[in-house]
Amino acid sequence: MSGITRKGIRYLSSLVLIIIINFTLPRLMPGDPVKNLIGEDVYVSENVMEELRAELGLDRPLYEQFASFLSDLLHLDLGYSYHLHAPVAEILLDRLGWTLLFVGISVLIGAFLGSLFGALAGWRPEKRMSRFTGLAFIVLSCTPPYFLALLSLYLFSFRLGLFPSKGFYDVLEIGSILHHLFLPVCVMSVFSASRNYLVMRGSVIQEKEQLYALYARAKGLNDIGILFRHIIKNASLPIITLLALDFGFLFSGALFIEIIFSLNGMGTLIYGAIMGKDYPLLQGAFLVIALTALLANMLADLFYSLIDPRVRRPT
Amino acid sequence: MKQRKNFTKSELNRGLKQWLIFAVLTIIVYSNIYPAVAAEPENSEENLTPSNDGIFDRIITYIKSLLGDEEKTQVSGAVSEAAAAGMQQSADTGGAVLKIATPSVIKSPSFLGDSNLGVFAHLSNPPLMKMDSEGHLVGQLAESYEVSENNTCWTFYLRDDLYWSDGEPVTPKDIEFSIRYYGKEAPSARWINDTLESAAVSEANNSVTFKFNKPYTRIDLEFATYNILPAHIWETIENPVEYTNNGPYVGCGPYYLKLIDLNAGKLVFEKNPYWKGKAPEPETVEIHFYSSVDVATLALKNGEIDTYYKYAGSYPYSGIEQLEETGNFDFIEKTDIGLVFLALNLKKAPFSDTEFREALAYAINYEEIVSLETLGYGEVPNRGFVPSSMENFKETERLEYSPEKAREILEKAGYSDSNGNGILEGKDGKDIKLEILIRPEYSRTGELLEEYLEQVGLASDLRTADADTWVTLKDNYEYDLTVTRSTPWGMLMHASWGSGYFDSRRTGQGVMHNLDDPEFMQLCDNILATTDSQELQSYAYELQNYYAENLPAIPLYWSSIVTPYNRHFEGWYTDPLYGIYNLDNFVNVRKIEA
């Protein structure tokens, strides 16, 4: 069996497993979606409850619900949200767009800055600046994002009045969007950069001890050349893995950041769906996240073999 | 090691040079920051007094001045001045905008499907009835109303000066349509469909008559919650609960809902050009929703927002002092008609024993709970359960903390510690070990209760559960004690005065349905059978006496709903059901020179 077929089977079986878990997990949670839908202090008769249950298809046996879920999936139908009163695909598309905008940019900026500073710090770890950035990024990576977001909001929005405190915009214009997203993107970038920094720093410290680095120096290559033409290639392998993992994070949004900045993103959407037992929305959101993570892992596999010839070489 | 050997004199010099540059830069920055701050008190004629603020504030001041924002430069103590200026400006503008912060986030632009939106839409689509500040039900869109002797026929006479925001007059047909529409489309209003026999509209009398298939005495209260819809718009909408639209929505209140913008986190209401009632002053009312209460309180403190609203909730007590310090806010404080109480599993021993419940009531240190949970914005409740702000409140005995009395009652009732292990035994001879089921929001109260029970010889364990698990366990009666709360509507539902929480014939997420005493159920039925105010009052008193004597639940504290508001606006008004979010408030609020 060729490597590609083996990988294909692996990914396909992962997908099947994901679909099963996606269906099962929300139903294992305590709570009744119908009671949630009715609300706290509202009295409805058992008949109405049963009617609602039937309307939502929750009165059917689990295997029937699963079959219907699969059939809908094959028709690319993710169902209808109990609480948000719209097709799940429509809701996800809207939220994904905004989430991609602020989390995607943050992940990319974080990867770039973290890799750059991490590489420089790993190359000359004894320098004062390296030690300082190391300390700073360790502190940042240990700081809960909720606290970091609240602190930055307090400083830059409420004390300095530089940025708005909530939402994606005031009026739907590019300037307003950029103004609103600047602070959350900065906070998330810093947070993402701190993780990438630590990984890249460690990786460069390890790689620079290799013989090929010594050989490059012996050839007369300068520091910048050795680091950015040779070492960074091999040292960036863990960063690629981290980026692939970040894709899941990217699509699940950043709950705490969204809460602090009152952003209408994927994080709060999923949180709301969990609290409201909105099965179709949960299934849809988790499926999209899982598929994206799967795709990102496939891409990471591909990048690995492109960057590192050892991965391509047959064992 | 090799690098260490290479640590030469030139590198040492370079290191020293770097330190020198750093020191010089620090001095330059500090010398810039200091005057920037020291110059600030000139306005307050204290230019010789250096600021008392720390380096942190100075850095902020400096950054502000760098950004060319010198005129607005404020030190920390002066933040309130900036806020004051902003708020004054907001109030002075001809087309003033009244901004309300809320943690009740709108999740979907579904006019009929989103419960939070339903509350906010009272402003644009007011219900037929309303509650006045004293808790009496009076007409809102209805001028007056009457009920037949057998309580099956309700006639509502409409005001004749009501117009939709598209210029169409509000007719009795709109009322009939709305009520039927809810009955058909909203699961929570399915009772209308089941009980409404017929509805007759009279254009001549400008009235609508609803005839029910059984006596229904609480219609005036129910109709204080359903928003009235324009029939000419909504009759064409096939699936209204699933109908989503960002606005504008046609309304007949002083304002209509112009925009629902979930991504900007706001609702915008604009003046209804056809409104003939008392003209509201603010041109626009904006509801800004914040996912974090902390951020909402900061926005308020900063002067970005004029007031705060949460249905069945107060402004966070911990933030009140900070707002007071700004000098820009006044507060409305009113005792909530909802309360926090200790629910007992009446279906099993020892809680089925009245004497045990009596002892339990003495074991709780109410003063301590009130001071810790409400920070002084609450009071020790009465045995009659119902808070003093509710209509037909009856003064019953105040709950008292006396562990000695509790122990005495327990001993007399036959709960003793015969084996001397410090834990009282039940009537079955086994140690009493109680389980206190707690949701995370009441964890501190749970810990306090655990302590109080221990002091009177009752062992207990805390079991913390998320809201959904709590509902499941509560519905299966798998608890001994649990702390929960009632909302204003919860206190009014069923036979009112909190009865809806206990009557075992009811179900629902928040209700305990744990009381099947015939005396109590008869009282509920009596209340549900009358619309006579005298009779209602007498039954309400009987019900509160019943609570006081039998203690089916032990109220832990009555709390206040505190609403801060920009003191550049006056005329604030609050009702027990929806707090400041009522039509009268919005037409009365006026700007003033503060």
Side-chain angles (χ1 to χ4, degrees):
Chain A
M1 205 186 287
S2 75
I4 294 178
T5 322
R6 252 201 325 270
K7 270 186 187 167
I9 291 173
R10 211 165 60 208
Y11 282 120
L12 200 69
S13 47
S14 303
L15 183 67
V16 171
L17 205 66
I18 284 166
I19 289 171
I20 295 170
I21 292 174
N22 261 356
F23 177 82
T24 324
L25 216 55
R27 283 164 178 79
L28 287 178
M29 294 192 302
D32 179 356
V34 176
K35 279 186 185 167
N36 253 293
L37 201 58
I38 297 294
E40 195 181 346
D41 294 329
V42 180
Y43 170 70
V44 293
S45 65
E46 275 305 317
N47 285 347
V48 175
M49 296 277 273
E50 285 313 310
E51 265 177 51
L52 263 176
R53 207 160 268 132
E55 228 172 83
L56 302 176
L58 294 169
D59 60 334
R60 292 188 289 166
L62 268 184
Y63 68 88
E64 268 187 41
Q65 290 183 42
F66 184 62
S68 151
F69 168 60
L70 277 185
S71 145
D72 287 348
L73 262 189
L74 291 173
H75 290 92
L76 298 178
D77 179 3
L78 294 180
Y80 205 88
S81 163
Y82 302 158
H83 285 271
L84 303 189
H85 312 289
V88 170
E90 219 173 83
I91 298 167
L92 290 179
L93 264 180
D94 178 55
R95 298 287 184 108
L96 274 176
W98 286 104
T99 305
L100 256 181
L101 189 69
F102 85 97
V103 188
I105 292 173
S106 312
V107 167
L108 291 179
I109 294 176
F112 175 74
L113 290 180
S115 304
L116 181 70
F117 287 120
L120 292 172
W123 183 246
R124 287 276 179 263
E126 73 284 355
K127 277 195 159 185
R128 193 172 291 117
M129 187 50 87
S130 300
R131 286 208 294 267
F132 172 73
T133 52
L135 180 73
F137 278 120
I138 286 173
V139 169
L140 285 170
S141 69
C142 297
T143 312
Y146 186 88
F147 175 71
L148 203 61
L150 203 56
L151 188 72
S152 68
L153 191 79
Y154 176 69
L155 273 179
F156 298 106
S157 184
F158 292 114
R159 294 297 297 272
L160 294 172
L162 296 177
F163 301 102
S165 58
K166 72 170 182 70
F168 284 117
Y169 54 77
D170 267 336
V171 279
L172 191 52
E173 285 168 1
I174 186 77
S176 180
I177 295 171
L178 290 177
H179 192 205
H180 279 72
L181 286 187
F182 187 84
L183 211 49
V185 165
C186 281
V187 173
M188 286 195 63
S189 301
V190 163
F191 190 66
S192 167
S194 64
R195 295 194 316 148
N196 289 312
Y197 171 92
L198 296 173
V199 172
M200 184 54 111
R201 183 178 173 274
S203 199
V204 167
I205 287 175
Q206 214 172 10
E207 286 296 326
K208 74 175 185 180
E209 300 300 328
Q210 302 291 320
L211 283 177
Y212 69 86
L214 188 66
Y215 180 66
R217 187 177 292 283
K219 267 197 335 184
L221 209 57
N222 62 12
D223 279 7
I224 299 288
I226 300 169
L227 177 62
F228 290 106
R229 277 174 60 190
H230 294 283
I231 289 180
I232 201 132
K233 234 176 166 185
N234 292 330
S236 58
L237 291 177
I239 293 287
I240 292 172
T241 313
L242 204 60
L243 265 177
L245 290 174
D246 271 355
F247 261 84
F249 170 68
L250 195 150
F251 280 96
S252 61
L255 179 64
F256 291 126
I257 306 284
E258 285 176 21
I259 288 176
I260 294 293
F261 292 98
S262 303
L263 299 173
N264 203 22
M266 285 291 286
T268 44
L269 181 79
I270 294 170
Y271 178 73
I274 292 172
M275 299 315 282
K277 307 286 164 299
D278 196 337
Y279 293 161
L281 192 54
L282 275 178
Q283 284 163 189
F286 286 155
L287 188 70
V288 169
I289 293 166
L291 284 179
T292 324
L294 216 61
L295 193 76
N297 275 292
M298 277 169 72
L299 285 175
D301 269 358
L302 204 74
F303 271 120
Y304 257 68
S305 55
L306 278 177
I307 290 174
D308 191 346
R310 288 170 299 183
V311 178
R312 282 200 299 271
R313 215 173 291 148
T315 48
Chain B
M1 288 302 285
K2 205 173 177 185
Q3 275 175 342
R4 277 192 176 278
K5 278 179 192 168
N6 287 343
F7 190 76
T8 60
K9 200 177 166 186
S10 67
E11 274 178 324
L12 189 68
N13 284 340
R14 202 165 60 230
L16 276 172
K17 237 188 265 171
Q18 282 173 349
W19 269 111
L20 264 174
I21 291 168
F22 178 71
V24 170
L25 279 174
T26 310
I27 292 166
I28 291 171
V29 169
Y30 195 77
S31 62
N32 272 290
I33 292 171
Y34 196 83
V37 179
E40 202 283 328
E42 277 176 18
N43 299 334
S44 53
E45 298 173 4
E46 288 175 25
N47 49 344
L48 294 176
T49 317
S51 165
N52 289 328
D53 294 302
I55 184 72
F56 185 64
D57 294 303
R58 291 178 181 179
I59 291 170
I60 286 170
T61 312
Y62 178 62
I63 296 171
K64 274 190 162 185
S65 65
L66 279 183
L67 291 165
D69 201 16
E70 273 172 323
E71 278 178 24
K72 291 177 198 163
T73 302
Q74 301 290 334
V75 289
S76 88
V79 167
S80 59
E81 287 167 31
M87 295 171 90
Q88 179 65 57
Q89 196 185 4
S90 143
D92 283 350
T93 319
V97 180
L98 188 67
K99 293 182 179 176
I100 304 172
T102 180
S104 312
V105 176
I106 310 292
K107 290 178 182 157
S108 161
S110 166
F111 201 76
L112 297 190
D114 190 288
S115 55
N116 287 334
L117 184 55
V119 172
F120 290 120
H122 284 347
L123 183 55
S124 57
N125 297 67
L128 203 53
M129 303 293 295
K130 68 175 180 185
M131 196 170 262
D132 69 12
S133 61
E134 300 305 312
H136 306 301
L137 285 163
V138 289
Q140 186 158 246
L141 299 189
E143 184 95 69
S144 60
Y145 66 105
E146 59 193 29
V147 57
S148 66
E149 220 162 273
N150 61 1
N151 295 321
T152 56
C153 262
W154 289 79
T155 303
F156 295 89
Y157 298 93
L158 273 194
R159 278 167 54 181
D160 55 9
D161 61 346
L162 295 167
Y163 289 87
W164 296 106
S165 53
D166 60 359
E168 294 287 324
V170 177
T171 64
K173 193 188 159 220
D174 290 316
I175 312 295
E176 185 217 351
F177 168 81
S178 305
I179 298 302
R180 279 193 184 279
Y181 205 55
Y182 284 113
K184 205 168 107 225
E185 307 290 353
S188 56
R190 210 58 71 82
W191 64 271
I192 297 176
N193 227 22
D194 298 341
T195 51
L196 184 60
E197 202 172 271
S198 65
V201 165
S202 164
E203 297 292 343
N205 288 338
N206 205 23
S207 70
V208 54
T209 303
F210 296 103
K211 189 171 188 316
F212 295 91
N213 58 18
K214 59 179 182 184
Y216 220 114
T217 56
R218 318 294 291 165
I219 290 298
D220 47 355
L221 174 65
E222 296 280 358
F223 284 2
T225 61
Y226 294 109
N227 299 336
I228 299 302
L229 305 167
H232 62 284
I233 305 280
W234 284 84
E235 61 194 355
T236 55
I237 294 168
E238 258 184 41
N239 202 346
V241 176
E242 291 171 5
Y243 174 74
T244 54
N245 181 355
N246 288 330
Y249 286 90
V250 171
C252 62
Y255 294 86
Y256 70 96
L257 178 53
K258 188 187 175 197
L259 175 72
I260 304 169
D261 196 334
L262 301 186
N263 288 327
K266 65 178 177 187
L267 299 179
V268 180
F269 290 90
E270 272 203 355
K271 269 185 183 174
N272 174 0
Y274 298 96
W275 172 252
K276 309 283 184 207
K278 186 177 179 184
E281 197 171 272
E283 208 55 48
T284 309
V285 174
E286 288 183 3
I287 313 293
H288 290 262
F289 22 102
Y290 291 84
S291 307
S292 158
V293 177
D294 295 333
V295 181
T297 56
L298 280 173
L300 214 70
K301 193 182 164 203
N302 221 35
E304 292 172 19
I305 298 288
D306 298 309
T307 185
Y308 176 93
Y309 178 72
K310 183 187 176 194
Y311 169 69
S314 170
Y315 182 76
Y317 299 135
S318 55
I320 293 173
E321 202 181 322
Q322 279 186 322
L323 273 193
E324 275 174 341
E325 280 167 12
T326 66
N328 296 318
F329 289 91
D330 282 333
F331 299 84
I332 305 173
E333 193 179 329
K334 193 156 189 174
T335 305
D336 189 4
I337 64 169
L339 72 153
V340 173
F341 62 94
L342 181 65
L344 321 166
N345 189 348
L346 303 172
K347 302 247 176 214
K348 66 180 196 185
F351 305 103
S352 44
D353 179 357
T354 321
E355 282 175 302
F356 186 86
R357 299 202 294 265
E358 183 74 24
L360 208 59
Y362 281 111
I364 297 165
N365 187 342
Y366 303 95
E367 293 282 357
E368 188 173 59
I369 294 184
V370 166
S371 69
L372 285 173
E373 293 296 335
T374 71
L375 305 179
Y377 295 95
E379 54 184 311
V380 174
N382 290 359
R383 293 171 64 102
F385 192 78
V386 176
S388 53
S389 52
M390 200 164 176
E391 196 188 14
N392 292 327
F393 161 76
K394 182 175 191 285
E395 190 73 59
T396 51
E397 198 187 324
R398 180 156 285 215
L399 283 159
E400 181 195 337
Y401 171 54
S402 171
E404 300 78 28
K405 232 178 199 171
R407 264 185 245 115
E408 200 181 306
I409 296 169
L410 283 169
E411 208 169 312
K412 268 189 194 162
Y415 300 95
S416 57
D417 178 17
S418 56
N419 58 13
N421 66 352
I423 301 171
L424 297 179
E425 289 126 38
K427 288 180 178 169
D428 56 0
K430 290 180 187 164
D431 283 350
I432 298 176
K433 186 149 194 178
L434 307 174
E435 186 178 79
I436 310 174
L437 181 63
I438 285 289
R439 279 177 284 172
E441 61 263 39
Y442 301 116
S443 56
R444 185 166 51 180
T445 308
E447 283 164 20
L448 290 171
L449 287 171
E450 202 179 7
E451 253 176 54
Y452 303 150
L453 293 180
E454 198 187 324
Q455 280 168 15
V456 295
L458 299 169
S460 61
D461 271 335
L462 278 185
R463 181 177 181 185
T464 308
D466 67 285
D468 284 315
T469 312
W470 182 84
V471 171
T472 310
L473 293 172
K474 178 262 304 176
D475 283 345
N476 295 332
Y477 304 104
E478 290 173 28
Y479 67 96
D480 291 322
L481 299 161
T482 187
V483 178
T484 186
R485 67 150 193 173
S486 64
T487 61
W489 175 252
M491 290 299 285
L492 296 163
M493 66 186 179
H494 188 49
S496 206
W497 298 285
S499 58
Y501 284 97
F502 309 116
D503 194 324
S504 57
R505 295 168 292 186
R506 289 176 61 84
T507 55
Q509 263 199 311
V511 306
M512 305 312 299
H513 49 78
N514 56 353
L515 187 54
D516 45 20
D517 181 356
E519 187 189 344
F520 170 77
M521 298 217 267
Q522 185 57 53
L523 255 173
C524 292
D525 292 343
N526 290 344
I527 293 170
L528 287 169
T530 185
T531 46
D532 182 88
S533 57
Q534 290 299 317
E535 264 188 281
L536 268 176
Q537 189 185 55
S538 125
Y539 288 137
Y541 287 177
E542 272 187 55
L543 190 61
Q544 288 168 78
N545 283 339
Y546 177 88
Y547 288 146
E549 280 163 26
N550 296 284
L551 292 166
I554 301 170
L556 293 176
Y557 54 89
W558 291 338
S559 56
S560 295
I561 288 194
V562 181
T563 307
Y565 62 88
N566 177 349
R567 65 190 185 90
H568 295 111
F569 287 98
E570 67 163 11
W572 297 85
Y573 171 93
T574 179
D575 76 54
L577 185 54
Y578 290 112
I580 59 154
Y581 207 87
N582 63 71
L583 207 133
D584 293 274
N585 188 41
F586 289 102
V587 295
N588 279 318
V589 165
R590 292 276 181 276
K591 68 182 178 191
I592 51 157
E593 291 297 324

